[in-house]
C-alpha cells in the first residue's frame, strides 16, 4: 500500500511530551502519549517520505522506515529539530512543556524540616513551532497542533498568526484524547476551517498525510 505520494520529501515530526528535570529523580511532564505523532510519522513513511521523528519520552515502537531521535527536554527537542533541517514539511505534534525548572538541582531536594515546601522557580521553554515559523530554513509547509479545552477554532486562528504556521490541527482535549485512541480534529488554515469527524488516530494521520502530499505537490 505505499503510494509514493511523498517520495523524495523530508518530513519532520515531533511527538510525545517533554520531561523537564527538577532534580535527579523528579520532573515536570504532561499526559501526552505520543500516539498521534507516531501515527503521523508512520503514515508519512508509508507514503514514501524520508521521516525524522523527534520523540519525547514515550513507550512506543519506532514505526517502520522512520529515523527516530529520542529527547527528554524541550531544549533538547529544539536542538534536534534544528539539526534535522531542511525539511519539506514539519508537523509539530509534541506536547512541549511550556516551562522548565529554572535551576534543576544536582542532588535530590530534601525536606528541610521547616514545614515550608521548597520553592520551585520556573523558566519559559523555547517555542519550537514558533522558532521554525520564523526560521531561515522554514519548511515550506509548517503544521502545528493545538490541544484546547474551549473555543477551539478561535484559539487556533490566533495561534496560526502567532506561531507563523500554515495549518493548525486543533483538538478538544477536555475528554480522554490524551492517551486515548481516537481524535476529532479541526484543520484551521487562513483559507478556513475543516472539521473532521472523530476517528482513530491512525486515520487522522492517513488523512492528514494525504492533505500534506496534496499541498506539497502544487
Ligand atoms: O501554544 P501551544 O502550546 O498551544 O501550541 C501548540 C503547538 O505548538 C503544538 O504544535 C506544539 O508542538 C507546539 N509547541 C512547540 N514548542 C513549545 C510549545 C508548543 O513546538 N514550547
Amino acid at each position: 500500500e505505499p503510494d509514493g505520494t511523498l517520495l523524495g520529501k523530508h518530513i519532520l515530526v515531533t511527538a510525545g511530551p517533554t520531561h523537564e528535570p527538577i532534580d535527579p529523580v523528579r520532573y515536570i511532564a504532561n499526559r501526552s502519549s505520543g500516539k498521534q505523532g507516531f501515527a503521523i510519522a508512520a503514515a508519512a513513511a508509508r507514503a514514501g517520505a524520508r521521516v525524522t521523528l523527534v520523540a519525547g519520552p514515550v513507550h512506543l515502537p519506532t514505526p517502520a522506515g522512520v529515523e527516530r531521535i529520542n529527547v527528554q527536554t524541550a531544549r533538547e527537542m529544539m536542538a534536534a529539530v534544528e539539526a534535522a533541517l531542511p525539511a519539506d514539511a514539519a508537523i509539530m505534534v509534541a506536547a512541549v512543556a511550556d516551562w522548565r525548572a529554572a535551576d534543576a538541582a544536582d542532588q535530590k531536594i530534601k525536606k528541610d524540616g521547616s514545614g515550608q515546601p521548597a520553592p520551585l522557580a520556573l523558566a519559559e521553554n523555547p517555542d519550537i513551532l514558533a522558532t521554525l515559523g520564523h526560521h531561515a530554513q522554514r519548511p515550506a509547509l509548517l503544521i502545528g497542533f493545538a490541544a484546547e479545552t474551549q473555543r477551539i477554532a478561535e484559539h487556533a486562528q490566533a495561534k496560526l498568526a502567532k506561531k507563523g504556521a500554515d495549518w493548525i490541527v486543533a483538538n478538544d482535549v477536555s475528554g480522554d484524547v490524551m492517551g486515548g485512541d481516537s481524535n476529532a480534529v479541526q484543520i484551521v488554515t487562513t483559507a478556513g476551517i475543516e472539521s473532521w469527524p472523530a476517528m482513530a488516530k491512525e486515520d487522522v494521520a492517513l488523512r492528514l498525510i494525504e492533505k500534506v502530499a496534496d499541498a506539497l505537490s502544487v
Side-chain angles (χ1 to χ4, degrees):
E1 54 149 325
D3 59 6
T5 51
L6 285 177
L7 264 177
K9 304 295 186 190
H10 180 210
I11 309 292
L12 174 59
V13 181
T14 65
T18 61
H19 284 183
E20 309 294 335
I22 295 169
D23 69 15
V25 299
R26 304 185 178 98
Y27 56 83
I28 299 169
N30 61 64
R31 296 185 187 282
S32 170
S33 66
K35 284 179 190 169
Q36 185 64 80
F38 274 59
I40 288 168
R46 284 206 305 276
R50 175 163 85 81
V51 180
T52 305
L53 171 61
V54 180
V58 294
H59 296 281
L60 289 174
T62 305
V66 167
E67 186 192 344
R68 175 179 184 170
I69 299 165
N70 288 323
V71 298
Q72 296 282 327
T73 68
R75 289 186 293 177
E76 289 169 10
M77 187 172 277
M78 181 77 256
V81 162
E82 281 195 284
L85 295 175
D88 297 286
I91 311 174
M92 308 281 90
V93 196
V96 182
D98 290 323
W99 301 284
R100 65 177 180 273
D103 302 291
D106 297 331
Q107 306 294 330
K108 186 182 172 197
I109 299 168
K110 308 293 260 185
K111 288 186 277 193
D112 68 3
S114 70
Q116 295 299 314
L120 177 59
L122 300 180
E124 194 166 354
N125 270 330
D127 189 316
I128 300 166
L129 176 59
T131 303
L132 282 197
H134 305 99
H135 201 278
Q137 295 188 84
R138 184 192 189 280
L141 181 61
L142 180 60
I143 304 172
F145 270 61
E148 305 282 1
T149 56
Q150 56 178 342
R151 299 203 302 198
I152 294 162
E154 191 183 321
H155 285 149
Q157 288 285 6
K159 205 157 285 185
L160 263 187
K162 195 177 83 185
K163 307 256 190 179
D166 299 301
W167 307 346
I168 293 285
V169 181
N171 58 352
D172 185 344
V173 293
S174 49
D176 65 350
V177 163
M178 279 198 153
D181 291 319
S182 85
N183 204 357
V185 303
Q186 294 179 287
I187 313 292
V188 181
T189 73
T190 51
I193 298 176
E194 274 178 43
S195 294
W196 295 357
M199 59 184 99
K201 288 180 177 176
E202 284 75 14
D203 293 326
V204 171
L206 282 174
R207 196 158 158 181
L208 186 67
I209 286 302
E210 272 175 28
K211 198 172 160 70
V212 167
D214 282 348
L216 290 181
S217 71
V218 293

